[in-house]
Amino acid sequence: MKASAGGYVRATDLGHALELLRQADGMGRVLAGGQSLVAAMNMRLTTGDMLVDISRLSDLSGVTEDGDTLRIGALTRHVEVGSDPLIAAHVPLLADAVRYIAHAAIRNRGTIGGAAAHADPAAEFPACLVALDARLEATGPDGTRTIPAEAFFTDVFETSLRDGEILTAITVPKAASGERHVIEEVARRSGDYALAGLCLVKRAGGHRLALFSVGPTPILATSAMEKLDAGDLDGAVAALAEEIDPPSDTQASAAYRRHLAGVLLRRAAAKLQGDAP
Ligand SMILES: Cc1cc2nc3c(=O)[nH]c(=O)nc-3n(C[C@H](O)[C@H](O)[C@H](O)COP(=O)(O)OP(=O)(O)OC[C@H]3O[C@@H](n4cnc5c(N)ncnc54)[C@H](O)[C@@H]3O)c2cc1C
C-alpha cells in the first residue's frame, strides 16, 4: 500500500527502508536520531513528510576495521563515536570532536550519519570528514555508491545524496604513525554551535585543513594547507583569510569569524608542534 504523507513507519531492514522511501514518492524523510529532524518539525520548518524510521537497523551501527580504514555505520551515535576504542586509536579527531557537539542528551541520540546528511555548516563532524578525506557510502534505488566527503556537502543543509538514497556508512583512513589531529572552535557557551571552528590533520603527505561555520559547507582550505606544508604559519593565516568568505549573522560578523579562523589556526598549529595543551 502506498504510504500516506504525514505518516510514520519503522523500517525492519535496509531493503524495507528503501522500499518505503520509494513508495513515499519524494515525500519520504529518513528519521535517524531525530535530533535535528524533529527539532525542524517542531519549528514547522518541515511538515507533511512520511517519516521512515531507520533507528533500529542495527546493521547500520558500529565501527569495524577494514584494512587501513575504519568503517563507521551511519547510525553510530555521537556518544559511541566518542567512546569507541577503534576510533580513539585510529581517528582521534572524531573522538575529540564529540565533546564540542551539543549536550549529553543530544549526543546519546544523534548519529554521525544524521549529522552528515543534515549538513549543517556549523556542525563538527562534516568538517572532520572533509579534513580526514573520508568516503560516504549511500544506497538507493540504483544500488550503492561511494562519495568523497569533499563532494558530499554541496550547500547549506544540502548534500549530494539523491532522492531515495540512505547514507549507510562512512569510511575513514586510519591515522599512520606520527599523524596528528586537532580540532579547535569558539562557541559562545559550551554545547552551542561554533562561531568558527577548524579541523587540522598532519599526515606524512602534508596538511589537511577544513573549517566549519565560516561558509555554506565545510571548507577545505587548500591555499592555507600549501603554506602549512611549506612551514609558513603566518602565510597560512593570511591565505586562510583570503580563501574563506564567512557569513555575518546575529551571532557574529564576517570579520570576526575571519579573525577567529586565524586565531584557531595558530592554536591548532601550536598543538601540532606540542607547544600548547
Ligand atoms: C539543541 C541542539 C544543539 C545541537 N548542537 C550541535 C552542535 O553543537 N554540533 C553539531 O554538530 N550538531 C549539533 N546538533 C545536531 C545534532 O548533532 C544532531 O544529532 C545531528 O545533526 C543529526 O543527527 P540525527 O541522527 O539526530 O539525525 P536526524 O535528526 O534524524 O536527521 C537529520 C537529517 O538527516 C537525514 N538523515 C539522517 N540520517 C540519514 C541517513 N542515514 N541517510 C540519509 N539521510 C539521513 C534526515 O532525513 C534529516 O533530514 C544540535 C541539535 C540540537 C537539537
Side-chain angles (χ1 to χ4, degrees), residues 60-174:
L60 301 193
S61 185
V63 184
T64 50
E65 277 182 289
D66 186 6
D68 55 3
T69 63
L70 288 190
R71 191 170 190 278
I72 305 171
L75 288 179
T76 308
R77 297 177 192 274
H78 302 341
V79 66
E80 295 165 335
V81 172
S83 61
D84 185 273
L86 286 174
I87 291 182
H90 299 298
V91 199
L93 183 66
L94 290 176
D96 290 347
V98 171
R99 68 193 154 98
Y100 290 114
I101 301 176
H103 308 285
I106 291 159
R107 295 194 292 264
N108 284 339
R109 298 291 309 171
T111 66
I112 190 168
H118 188 54
D120 189 320
E124 287 82 3
F125 279 150
C128 292
L129 300 181
V130 170
L132 292 164
D133 200 14
R135 301 277 184 275
L136 294 96
E137 185 183 292
T139 300
D142 301 325
T144 297
R145 65 192 179 109
T146 302
I147 309 157
E150 267 183 81
F152 185 80
F153 303 101
T154 55
D155 207 340
V156 180
F157 302 121
E158 297 283 343
T159 72
S160 54
L161 279 178
R162 297 178 188 139
D163 196 28
E165 277 187 330
I166 293 177
L167 181 61
T168 50
I170 297 167
T171 305
V172 278
K174 287 185 193 169

Side-chain angles (χ1 to χ4, degrees), residues 198-268:
L198 58 78
C199 304
L200 180 58
V201 172
K202 186 180 183 192
R203 292 181 168 147
H207 294 79
R208 286 185 65 88
L209 173 65
L211 286 97
F212 50 101
S213 214
V214 298
T217 62
I219 310 287
L220 187 69
T222 53
S223 301
M225 282 157 48
E226 282 174 20
K227 296 288 184 186
L228 288 172
D229 289 348
D232 179 3
L233 179 57
D234 289 338
V237 170
L240 184 59
E242 286 294 314
E243 67 186 320
I244 59 173
D245 184 15
S248 285
D249 56 30
T250 53
Q251 298 293 314
S253 67
Y256 184 54
R257 285 195 161 97
R258 187 175 274 113
H259 169 73
L260 285 180
V263 170
L264 292 172
L265 180 53
R266 290 188 189 280
R267 277 188 202 166

